[in-house]
Amino acid sequence: MNRIAPAEQRVGVTSALFTAAYAGFSVPVVVVGVASVQVGTLRATTGAAIGFALICACALWVLSRAGRSRAV
């Protein structure tokens, strides 16, 4: 990130990167914790696993489409 970002924007880019990373680590944990109180641990964990699997499937689909468009 530091090589790509202009010198005057490196602090902001690095801050945004760390903010996104911390949100990505903490938000799912908090959501599963709140959901486990509401619907139970097994259902909350199962729902999170299904959600993560869907996100992974979408990412794989996008990456496969990007690979095909570059090959042409």
Side-chain angles (χ1 to χ4, degrees):
M1 298 293 297
N2 283 334
R3 279 187 263 153
I4 297 170
E8 64 275 359
Q9 294 180 351
R10 285 188 186 141
V11 172
V13 169
T14 303
S15 297
L17 173 68
F18 281 115
T19 301
Y22 289 138
F25 295 143
S26 62
V27 169
V29 173
V30 172
V31 169
V32 170
V34 170
S36 68
V37 171
Q38 302 295 322
V39 298
T41 305
L42 180 63
R43 286 184 180 178
T45 306
T46 303
I50 291 169
F52 293 140
L54 289 173
I55 290 170
C56 290
C58 289
L60 284 172
W61 180 75
V62 168
L63 289 173
S64 71
R65 302 238 336 135
R68 276 190 245 149
S69 66
R70 288 185 186 171
V72 174

